[in-house]
Amino acid sequence: MREVSALHPRLQEKIRIWQEQCRKNGLKIGIGECLRTAAEQDALYAQGRTKPGSIVTNAKGSTYSSQHQWGVAVDFYRNDGKGAYNQADGFFDKAGALAKTVGLGWGGDWKSPVDKPHLYLPDWGSTPAVLKKQYQTPENFMKTWKSQPAFATNQTYVATAPCYLRVSAGAKSTNTVLYGTLSRTLKKKCKNKQGFAVFKKKQTFRLMKTKQVGNNIWGRMKSGYWVPLVYQEKTRAVLQKK
């Protein structure tokens, strides 16, 4: 399937941003494989084994072992007429480097197999192992997408509930930011609660990056600190109306 709209909402947004970066850098890319069913993955696994052709994957569809089955990966190709997978001029290295700047994982960094036309959301690692342990099946995972809105980076958001600022994405208390370490600007947007920084309701922030931890989505502000965008199935920030 080559429908980007079938992928995880955050992957769709990152692909859009990455495509624009590629365009600005003169890289003409096309979108190849997106979401795959178990049957499609098993048919691909059979190639080079029980069917003609070369082996192209070690992931069995029946065991949900491909990121494509979970909707968190996409394959791309060069679309400039010089050969879909021609790497002579470093095309895929350049496109992969740009993908990493918008928060995507790149198969070109893998040791085995090296998969330069492959991009993915890195939140759950470079394999579906974490997703399989947490959700068992792609269908269970996809049911959570409806409650997780896509957040656009480089946009201004408004906090709909007070929340602790974090040094890194996640709810661990060891990540909590000390109020006294904040800049004067951030102190105005935060309360001092037991020495920690509590970002106040209705305060605005610039969203620079997102990361999913479990079922929660965290956003990094321009200051470098993190706030919960979706926490315990509740949306904690909305796009500022212009």
Side-chain angles (χ1 to χ4, degrees):
M1 184 184 296
R2 294 192 174 189
E3 294 294 331
V4 173
S5 60
L7 298 171
H8 192 287
R10 287 194 295 106
L11 179 55
Q12 293 182 42
E13 174 62 17
K14 289 182 182 294
I15 289 172
R16 184 192 66 77
I17 299 171
W18 168 69
Q19 286 177 311
E20 179 61 19
Q21 290 297 316
C22 286
R23 186 191 65 78
K24 290 180 179 178
N25 285 272
L27 301 176
K28 295 183 178 181
I29 58 99
I31 298 299
E33 288 287 292
C34 294
L35 182 68
R36 288 194 198 122
T37 64
E40 288 171 335
Q41 185 65 36
D42 275 333
L44 196 63
Y45 180 82
Q47 184 176 318
R49 294 181 173 89
T50 58
K51 292 183 178 180
S54 302
I55 290 178
V56 293
T57 181
N58 293 320
K60 288 184 178 181
S62 55
T63 59
Y64 308 122
S65 297
S66 170
Q67 290 179 318
H68 286 284
Q69 293 178 264
W70 296 86
V72 297
V74 63
D75 290 339
F76 68 98
Y77 59 92
R78 66 185 302 170
N79 196 26
D80 56 7
K82 297 181 180 180
Y85 299 103
N86 180 5
Q87 170 63 1
D89 56 358
F91 182 94
F92 288 91
D93 293 329
K94 296 172 186 176
L98 287 173
K100 290 162 67 174
T101 67
V102 303
L104 288 170
W106 179 45
D109 287 331
W110 294 350
K111 301 299 181 183
S112 179
V114 176
D115 193 356
K116 292 188 176 183
H118 182 87
L119 304 176
Y120 61 95
L121 282 177
D123 306 54
W124 302 278
S126 59
T127 74
V130 173
L131 288 169
K132 286 198 285 186
K133 182 177 181 180
Q134 185 170 353
Y135 297 102
Q136 287 76 56
T137 69
E139 290 74 21
N140 290 338
F141 175 53
M142 291 172 189
K143 288 176 182 178
T144 69
W145 294 4
K146 296 179 181 178
S147 62
Q148 296 180 346
F151 293 93
T153 55
N154 291 310
Q155 299 292 327
T156 300
Y157 282 79
V158 180
T160 58
C163 56
Y164 287 100
L165 288 189
R166 307 287 178 172
V167 175
S168 59
K172 293 182 179 180
S173 59
T174 51
N175 289 336
T176 311
V177 178
L178 290 173
Y179 178 83
T181 62
L182 300 180
S183 66
R184 183 177 301 177
T185 300
L186 266 181
K187 282 182 178 179
K188 291 181 180 180
K189 294 187 176 185
C190 293
K191 294 179 180 178
N192 184 3
K193 187 174 182 180
Q194 297 177 341
F196 298 115
V198 180
F199 203 74
K200 293 185 289 188
K201 182 179 179 180
K202 296 183 179 180
Q203 295 298 312
T204 61
F205 61 94
R206 192 76 171 174
L207 181 62
M208 307 306 294
K209 183 179 181 180
T210 62
K211 182 175 183 179
Q212 182 160 341
V213 180
N215 290 327
N216 303 318
I217 300 177
W218 295 81
R220 184 170 63 81
M221 305 189 302
K222 194 173 182 180
S223 63
Y225 296 123
W226 293 78
V227 294
L229 304 176
V230 175
Y231 189 71
Q232 295 181 344
E233 299 184 352
K234 293 183 179 180
T235 301
R236 301 297 183 95
V238 295
L239 190 66
Q240 184 183 49
K241 295 181 180 179
K242 295 182 179 180

